[in-house]
Amino acid sequence: MDIVITKHAIIRYRERLFDFNSSEQEVIKFLKDVAIKGKLVCIKPNDYDNCTEVRYQGISVVLIRECGRVFVITCLGDLRYRKWIKKQKPLQIPKSGI
């Protein structure tokens, strides 16, 4: 199975797991493991019914299956991060007096 890890997924992995020390190759290897070994969490809505969320070792990623390849398009983080982020209030941008 050909697995493609997007740059976006790598960036989100680092941000959401607070892992800025692992090499890019280590992150790519882990995200590929999640794609291969992960259990289906849910099917994400899209026009082609090819988008899923999978979880492995507590880390969730979103995959798109297309043309015999799997694309890891983002990393959603672990359950603690996801629970925390849902409790955060949206950023309020002040209106300018223009």
Side-chain angles (χ1 to χ4, degrees):
M1 175 181 352
D2 189 20
I3 300 172
V4 178
I5 309 297
T6 64
K7 291 288 184 189
H8 177 81
I10 295 168
I11 291 166
R12 290 295 180 250
Y13 172 90
R14 291 188 186 286
E15 291 174 352
R16 293 176 175 166
L17 295 170
F18 304 100
D19 180 359
F20 301 99
N21 295 321
S22 296
S23 71
E24 188 167 307
Q25 291 306 317
E26 290 172 319
V27 173
I28 290 170
K29 182 184 180 322
F30 181 76
L31 292 174
K32 283 185 178 184
D33 283 347
V34 175
I36 293 167
K37 300 173 184 175
K39 301 290 184 197
L40 178 66
V41 174
C42 66
I43 297 171
K44 298 289 190 182
N46 75 344
D47 292 341
Y48 304 104
D49 292 329
N50 64 347
C51 188
T52 57
E53 178 183 336
V54 298
R55 183 177 300 135
Y56 176 68
Q57 293 184 349
I59 310 300
S60 294
V61 299
V62 176
L63 310 175
I64 290 184
R65 289 174 170 77
E66 191 173 273
C67 300
R69 294 169 34 174
V70 174
F71 295 85
V72 178
I73 60 171
T74 196
C75 176
L76 300 174
D78 62 10
L79 294 176
R80 289 181 316 166
Y81 175 84
R82 294 179 76 185
K83 191 174 186 180
W84 172 79
I85 200 68
K86 285 182 182 181
K87 292 180 181 179
Q88 302 308 301
K89 293 181 181 178
L91 180 63
Q92 296 295 322
I93 301 172
K95 294 180 181 179
S96 63
I98 300 174

